[in-house]
Amino acid sequence: MDFELNEEQQAFADSVRRFAEANLKDGSLARAHDPRFPRDVAQMLGKQGLMGISFDPKDGGQGGTLLDSVIAIEQVASVCPRSADVVQAGNFGPIRTFVEYATPEQKQRWLPDLLAGNICISLGMSEPEAGSAVTELKTTATEDGDDYVINGSKVFGTHSPDAAIYLVYVRFAPGVSGIGSVIVERDTPGCVSSEGWHVQQETNLPG
């Protein structure tokens, strides 16, 4: 099996490396020690088309492959690891789940800013008593008319201090089939983000 990049992939890798060397090399050490989300870098990456690389163009993506996304992460990481984390967050994790399952209205509202690097999304999965074992999560979502009332706590939410929205895994019902997710906006009453993350008596539409 040939693991070498083809001509097109190598050209893409070279172009990303040149971009990173020219724009991300300076300040890379300072970024590595700053826990906050580097919004200026995210916006720069968005303009360069490095956010949503493998997403469908109808969703604002570039229509590339998953390997293209990995190539971009690798090339940026060779120059500025913290910026590579932003590329990763713009292509994998909660944003990928959001693109796959969000409603058209949710995409219209948040996806352009996510892909432009203007805002970021955080994952609410891990819990104090469950870790990242989603089957053990305790956060619940109870239907209340057109809304859901959410009760629970989350920890270790990447970028949570700076996120505009949270993709929160909840339990709608007992058992594995009762597990799903909702989108929670940062400024929703009852949502508190600090070292931990929790909501009480929260109402949101399901994600």
Side-chain angles (χ1 to χ4, degrees), residues 63-147:
T65 66
L66 290 175
L67 181 56
D68 292 331
S69 301
V70 174
I71 289 171
I73 294 169
E74 177 188 42
Q75 293 303 314
V76 173
S78 67
V79 176
C80 179
R82 184 68 182 91
S83 297
D85 179 59
V86 178
V87 179
Q88 187 279 141
N91 288 277
F92 296 103
I95 193 172
R96 189 165 193 84
T97 303
F98 179 85
V99 169
E100 185 168 353
Y101 294 106
T103 66
E105 293 77 16
Q106 289 170 331
K107 288 183 181 182
Q108 183 179 20
R109 183 174 181 182
W110 289 303
L111 193 52
D113 277 334
L114 286 169
L115 295 179
N118 296 328
I119 63 173
C120 65
I121 182 173
S122 179
L123 178 65
M125 178 184 291
S126 299
E127 295 187 355
E129 303 300 323
S132 297
V134 181
T135 54
E136 304 302 315
L137 64 81
K138 304 298 183 185
T139 300
T140 61
T142 306
E143 192 170 4
D144 181 20
D146 292 332
D147 298 325

Side-chain angles (χ1 to χ4, degrees), residues 157-192:
T158 304
H159 302 140
S160 62
D162 302 295
I165 57 175
Y166 304 87
L167 178 69
V168 182
Y169 280 84
V170 298
R171 185 173 293 285
F172 293 99
V176 175
S177 62
I179 296 170
S181 62
V182 294
I183 294 295
V184 178
E185 292 186 78
R186 180 180 187 83
D187 58 356
T188 304
C191 174
V192 179

